[in-house]
Amino acid sequence: MSRVFACPADVAEQVTDRGRLRSYARTAIILRQGDWLALTFLLLVGRAQALLYAAEGQLVLLHEFAPGDLFGALGEAEAVRQDADVVAVDEVRALTLDSGDLALLAQRYGCIGLALSRMLLQRLRQTTERMYERTALSAVGRVHAELLRQARSGAAMTIRPAPVIADLALRVATTRETASRTINALERRGIIRRDGDGLTVVAPQRLEEMIL
């Protein structure tokens, strides 16, 4: 069914039978910050981002969601307030189900409870890593770290498609100008190289040494 619910077919059927499919256009707001919510969203197709505005007006990326991820109310017995806007990055299809139903299914089926625990732990690690980088690294250092992270998750140290400057800047909480200048400087020094629609980190060790 998805990478979250790696469960037997009969258990996956229990989830889908209780849910409702919904579709969202690219850039559509799926959830609004402050709304009362009693639904869980299981992302099936596309990507989404949880975004909010900081006190000084800067847009902050809280989480990114890929197919198989859950967001919204995650098993709460009562409605909760949504902590951020969730915006569709691509065209999105999601299965929605009552958060109380998800809690009951998690109690009944260990694979669902285990999947929820793993997902929440992974999200906590990602949040902790992002908080550390924002306090310990310069804006340029955060760009370096994000490029290296994305390259290591791809094939042959290549990010494909190449990062969009605005998206990269949002991920590391800096300006487009800073992200653009940093990438141009890395290209001039031969540390990264554009390959068609991709971007390759040619000297990963040098790039890692520049994460300050």
Side-chain angles (χ1 to χ4, degrees):
M1 182 180 165
S2 76
R3 66 185 177 89
V4 166
F5 292 108
C7 294
D10 60 326
V11 179
E13 188 175 353
Q14 289 283 327
V15 177
T16 55
D17 284 349
R18 293 169 183 257
R20 174 185 172 189
L21 284 173
R22 301 191 183 192
S23 298
Y24 300 89
R26 182 175 176 273
T27 73
I29 297 178
I30 301 172
L31 296 173
R32 291 187 182 276
Q33 182 181 2
D35 284 354
W36 287 100
L37 184 67
L39 288 177
T40 301
F41 288 70
L42 171 60
L43 191 58
L44 301 176
V45 177
R47 294 176 300 135
Q49 294 177 329
L51 305 169
L52 56 76
Y53 283 94
E56 62 274 16
Q58 182 181 6
L59 191 62
V60 176
L61 173 65
L62 286 186
H63 299 293
E64 293 184 278
F65 306 114
D69 284 336
L70 293 165
F71 57 88
L74 300 179
E76 285 88 356
E78 299 179 355
V80 294
R81 279 195 183 275
Q82 175 61 22
D83 58 0
D85 288 347
V86 177
V87 180
V89 177
D90 314 304
E91 291 187 1
V92 161
R93 291 186 67 200
L95 181 76
T96 62
L97 63 157
D98 185 86
S99 63
D101 286 344
L102 179 63
L104 290 174
L105 288 169
Q107 292 175 5
R108 186 177 303 171
Y109 301 107
C111 61
I112 294 180
L114 180 60
L116 282 169
S117 297
R118 287 175 173 171
M119 182 204 70
L120 292 172
L121 283 172
Q122 181 184 33
R123 197 169 293 176
L124 177 61
R125 284 195 296 268
Q126 292 171 345
T127 301
T128 301
E129 182 178 26
R130 205 165 284 189
M131 288 175 61
Y132 166 78
E133 289 182 354
R134 288 178 184 174
T135 55
L137 300 179
S138 65
V140 171
R142 295 197 298 273
V143 175
H144 293 161
E146 181 63 24
L147 289 174
L148 189 59
R149 182 164 41 241
Q150 290 189 33
R152 283 174 171 165
S153 67
M157 294 299 293
T158 299
I159 307 168
R160 184 167 281 114
V164 176
I165 296 297
D167 182 60
L168 181 64
L170 177 62
R171 287 170 182 265
V172 301
T174 190
T175 64
R176 298 183 191 185
E177 292 76 14
T178 297
S180 180
R181 286 197 303 268
T182 303
I183 287 180
N184 290 338
L186 292 173
E187 281 192 273
R188 287 194 302 269
R189 298 178 66 173
I191 295 172
I192 63 174
R193 180 185 68 236
R194 295 187 184 274
D195 293 312
D197 66 339
L199 186 149
T200 299
V201 176
V202 180
Q205 185 172 349
R206 288 179 62 193
L207 183 57
E208 187 169 13
E209 292 169 351
M210 296 169 67
I211 299 175
L212 301 170

